[in-house]
């Protein structure tokens, strides 16, 4: 019954820490947001998204008329004119028309005052044109609308890829932040142990004066404190590395990061709801985009309709057969392209099948990851409980050994061993809490809840 009450009391102690543990520090949130702002991969995804948005705009602008202007100068080797026989025929015809108008016989000679007009050339040797042309797509064979839809899925896919990157960044920052909390807590344990040894050193000094201890006992205490000093140096080095990493990722000043004082406490994650991971959402969007791409390839066999026109701003250099302006409608229908579009569509279908298999594989791996994360989280809780009990037991052993030492029933060596065991048990307890938090982080990630939890 006593053991049962102890267990209930310990569980109550853990649950009293849950409320604190489930509150995400504001400092941690700020660090994660700063890491997001300075992530090169997230910036790259932003640029890629901007490119996709431009592609969608271009697809929608397919139906805008395209107007162009051009100026050309051409010099021919000679004027283009009718052959001499044709010229003679045209001049003779002109003369007959004039005679008919003057009521003269066809074989009469033209009056001297009547001059025949020379036959104009077909095209001048020097050609200078200023031309405006226009083309207006009236029907693209559904290619424009399908392209716009495909870019929407591409944009969503990129947003989910950004979420994946954010999850990786947030998890890394959280782990680094918890390591910093672990280092701070370990530093406090060492400091408390050192203070305890300093107190025992004063007791030994008094005992030496009274002949109840030897200088060797004092040196043993000093040696134990020296070992703690080495641990302090190691912890300070680890703390500096953690601050350097946070500074590099978030671009925050190291002096400001050194002022952080994170604490470590267990987290209990009891929510079993699993949401769809961004990896699966990204694959789903890519699959839909690929299917639209396949349809786009097949639009090559759909008739396309466009209006066109042209206007010449200078009529001086136009030939006798060139119009000043023209307009029309063009229907383009590819009946057979050597099966190029069909083969491209087949290649796209294969690419879609690859993505489908990747999605199935991802679903299986995620399901296994969730099961493993749940087992690891439960195991971490049990280890944490055991470590907590071990730390409490080590504390009792130290107190009993101290009492025996002061009563002369045991040696300083046994007391120092008990102190070292207690310090190790406390460090193991902190490590167990750290590992439990990491297990919860992995479980949140597996269930697709990490970003929501850290917001």
């Amino acid at each position: 019954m006593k053991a049962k009450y102890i267990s209930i009391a310990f569980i109550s102690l853990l649950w009293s820490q849950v409320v604190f543990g489930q509150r995400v520090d504001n400092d941690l949130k700020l660090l994660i947001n700063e890491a997001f702002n300075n992530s090169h991969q997230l910036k790259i995804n932003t640029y890629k998204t901007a490119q996709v948005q431009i592609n969608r705009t271009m697809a929608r602008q397919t139906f805008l008329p395209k107007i162009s202007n051009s100026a050309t100068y051409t010099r021919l080797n000679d004027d283009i004119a009718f052959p001499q026989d044709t010229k003679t025929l045209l001049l003779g015809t002109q003369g007959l028309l004039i005679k008919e108008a003057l009521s003269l016989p066809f074989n009469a000679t033209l009056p001297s005052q009547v001059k025949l007009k020379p036959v104009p050339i077909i095209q001048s040797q020097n050609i200078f044109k200023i031309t405006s042309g226009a083309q207006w797509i009236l029907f693209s064979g559904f290619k424009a609308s399908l392209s716009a839809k495909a870019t929407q899925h591409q944009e969503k896919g990129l947003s989910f890829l950004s979420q994946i990157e954010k999850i990786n960044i947030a998890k890394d920052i959280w782990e680094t932040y918890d390591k910093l909390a672990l280092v701070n807590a370990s530093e406090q344990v060492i400091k408390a142990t050192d203070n305890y040894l300093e107190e025992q050193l004063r007791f030994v000094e008094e005992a030496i004066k009274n002949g109840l201890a030897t200088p060797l006992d004092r040196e043993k205490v000093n040696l134990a404190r020296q070992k703690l000093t080495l641990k302090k140096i190691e912890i300070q080095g680890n703390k500096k590395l953690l601050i350097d990493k946070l500074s590099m990722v978030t671009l925050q000043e190291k002096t400001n990061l050194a002022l952080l004082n994170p604490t470590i406490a267990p987290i209990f994650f009891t929510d079993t709801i699993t949401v769809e991971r961004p990896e699966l959402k990204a694959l789903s969007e890519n699959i839909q985009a690929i299917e639209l791409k396949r349809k786009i390839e097949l639009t090559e066999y759909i008739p396309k309709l466009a209006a066109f026109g042209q206007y010449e701003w200078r009529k001086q250099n136009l030939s006798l057969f060139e119009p000043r302006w023209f307009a029309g409608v063009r229907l383009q229908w590819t009946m057979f392209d050597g099966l190029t579009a069909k083969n491209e569509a087949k290649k796209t279908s294969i690419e879609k099948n690859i993505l489908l298999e990747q999605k199935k594989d991802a679903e299986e791996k995620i399901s296994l990851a969730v099961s493993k994360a749940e087992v690891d989280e439960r195991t971490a809780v049990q280890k944490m409980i055991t470590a907590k009990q071990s730390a409490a037991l080590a504390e009792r052993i130290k107190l009993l050994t101290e009492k025996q030492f002061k009563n002369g029933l045991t040696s300083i060596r046994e007391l120092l061993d008990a102190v070292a065991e207690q310090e190790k048990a406390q460090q193991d307890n902190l490590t167990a809490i750290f590992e439990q938090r990491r297990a919860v982080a992995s479980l949140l990630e597996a269930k697709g809840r990490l970003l929501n939890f850290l917001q």
Side-chain angles (χ1 to χ4, degrees):
M1 289 296 292
K2 185 176 181 181
K4 180 178 178 181
Y5 289 136
I6 292 174
S7 298
I8 293 174
F10 178 68
I11 295 297
S12 300
L13 175 63
L14 289 179
W15 277 106
S16 68
Q17 295 176 309
V18 171
V19 177
F20 172 81
Q22 288 182 340
R23 285 201 306 263
V24 180
D25 291 352
N26 289 329
D27 291 335
L28 176 57
K29 291 181 181 179
L30 291 174
L31 290 174
I32 291 174
N33 289 330
E34 288 298 325
F36 288 166
N37 295 333
N38 296 293
S39 170
H40 296 297
Q41 187 58 50
L42 289 178
K43 291 179 180 178
I44 290 173
N45 287 348
T46 300
Y47 292 135
K48 288 182 178 179
T49 301
Q51 286 181 325
V52 171
Q53 291 172 346
I54 293 174
N55 289 337
R56 180 162 62 252
T57 301
M58 292 173 63
R60 291 171 177 171
Q61 292 174 346
T62 299
F63 299 104
L64 292 178
K66 296 173 178 60
I67 301 173
S68 62
N69 294 313
S70 64
T72 60
Y73 171 76
T74 306
R75 179 174 175 80
L76 305 178
N77 64 320
D78 200 356
D79 293 336
I80 300 176
F82 291 107
Q84 188 59 45
D85 292 344
T86 305
K87 287 182 179 181
T88 302
L89 178 61
L90 291 174
L91 289 172
T93 303
Q94 186 182 164
L96 289 174
L97 292 174
I98 293 173
K99 291 176 183 180
E100 182 180 356
L102 296 175
S103 300
L104 295 175
F106 75 92
N107 55 354
T109 303
L110 285 173
S112 59
Q113 67 271 20
V114 177
K115 302 295 182 181
L116 294 178
K117 293 182 179 180
V119 178
I121 61 175
I122 298 175
Q123 178 66 63
S124 174
Q125 184 180 20
N126 296 304
I127 306 171
F128 179 62
K129 292 183 177 181
I130 300 177
T131 306
S132 293
Q135 180 170 309
W136 189 359
I137 302 295
L138 302 177
F139 179 64
S140 66
F142 304 108
K143 185 175 183 178
S145 58
L146 291 174
S147 297
K149 291 180 180 178
T151 57
Q152 290 177 345
H153 292 294
Q154 289 174 351
E155 185 176 353
K156 289 181 180 179
L158 284 172
S159 68
F160 292 129
L161 290 179
S162 295
Q163 285 189 24
I164 296 172
E165 183 64 20
K166 285 183 177 180
I167 289 172
N168 294 331
I169 293 173
K171 188 177 180 182
D172 184 50
I173 294 293
W174 188 9
E175 182 175 355
T176 305
Y177 192 78
D178 277 2
K179 284 181 179 179
L180 186 59
L182 178 61
V183 165
N184 289 341
S186 298
E187 193 173 25
Q188 293 301 317
V189 169
I190 291 175
K191 183 178 180 181
T193 303
D194 189 48
N195 292 337
Y196 177 81
L197 290 177
E198 184 179 7
E199 180 183 344
Q200 294 304 314
L201 181 61
R202 288 194 295 269
F203 177 81
V204 170
E205 292 284 359
E206 291 295 328
I208 292 175
K209 292 178 181 179
N210 297 323
L212 300 176
T214 65
L216 180 60
D217 294 333
R218 178 182 59 203
E219 296 306 320
K220 287 181 180 180
V221 176
N222 287 329
L223 178 60
R225 294 189 68 190
Q226 189 65 32
K227 291 180 179 179
L228 289 179
T229 301
L230 294 176
K231 290 184 178 181
K232 288 180 183 179
I233 295 173
E234 183 179 358
I235 285 177
Q236 288 297 324
N238 292 336
K239 187 174 183 178
K240 183 180 182 303
L241 289 175
L242 293 171
I243 290 175
D244 288 345
K245 180 179 178 179
L246 289 176
S247 177
M248 180 184 66
V249 176
T250 63
L251 300 183
Q252 296 295 303
E253 293 291 338
K254 295 179 183 179
T255 53
N256 294 333
L257 294 175
L259 298 176
L260 293 175
N261 188 30
T263 56
I264 189 165
I267 302 173
F268 289 93
F269 182 69
T270 58
D271 192 347
T272 59
I273 298 176
T274 301
V275 299
E276 189 176 16
R277 292 271 292 270
E279 293 91 334
L280 298 180
K281 292 180 180 179
L283 285 170
S284 297
E285 295 297 332
N286 289 336
I287 289 170
Q288 295 184 63
I290 286 294
E291 175 59 21
L292 288 171
K293 181 182 176 183
R294 183 188 69 82
K295 294 179 180 180
I296 291 171
E297 298 290 350
L298 294 177
T299 59
E300 292 298 323
Y301 299 119
I302 299 177
K304 298 170 181 61
L305 187 65
F308 62 92
Q310 183 173 302
Y311 182 81
E312 297 289 348
W313 293 95
R314 297 183 78 254
K315 63 180 180 179
Q316 294 90 333
N317 294 134
L318 295 179
S319 71
L320 295 178
F321 306 109
E322 288 181 309
R324 181 75 182 274
W325 64 270
F326 62 84
V329 178
R330 178 172 53 248
L331 177 66
Q332 182 176 333
W333 191 355
T334 301
M335 306 299 294
F336 183 71
D337 66 343
L339 302 178
T340 300
K342 185 177 181 180
N343 289 330
E344 289 294 334
K346 286 182 178 180
K347 288 167 58 178
T348 306
S349 294
I350 294 173
E351 190 174 352
K352 177 184 175 181
N353 291 335
I354 292 173
L355 290 176
L356 287 171
E357 291 300 324
Q358 289 178 348
K359 185 178 180 181
K360 292 178 182 178
D361 182 56
E363 288 173 342
E364 293 174 358
K365 289 181 178 178
I366 288 174
S367 178
L368 181 61
V370 171
S371 299
K372 182 179 182 300
E374 290 175 342
V375 172
D376 290 344
E377 194 272 336
R378 288 194 294 268
T379 302
V381 170
Q382 294 299 320
K383 288 182 177 179
M384 184 176 62
I385 293 174
T386 302
K388 186 74 173 179
Q389 293 172 343
S390 298
L393 180 59
E395 173 70 16
R396 290 196 296 272
I397 291 174
K398 185 202 73 173
L399 293 176
L400 290 174
T401 306
E402 178 187 0
K403 184 181 294 185
Q404 289 181 338
F405 171 71
K406 290 184 177 180
N407 292 328
L409 300 177
T410 188
S411 65
I412 188 65
R413 182 63 188 175
E414 291 183 358
L415 176 60
L416 294 177
D417 288 343
V419 172
E421 285 297 324
Q422 185 216 17
E423 187 261 335
K424 181 178 180 302
Q426 289 178 333
Q427 298 286 8
D428 290 343
N429 179 50
L430 293 174
T431 302
I433 296 175
F434 172 81
E435 294 298 335
Q436 191 268 341
R437 290 173 67 88
R438 301 275 49 79
V440 170
S442 297
L443 182 58
L444 287 167
E445 181 184 13
K447 288 180 172 289
R449 307 283 298 282
L450 184 65
L451 286 181
N452 290 336
F453 179 80
L454 292 174
Q455 290 176 352

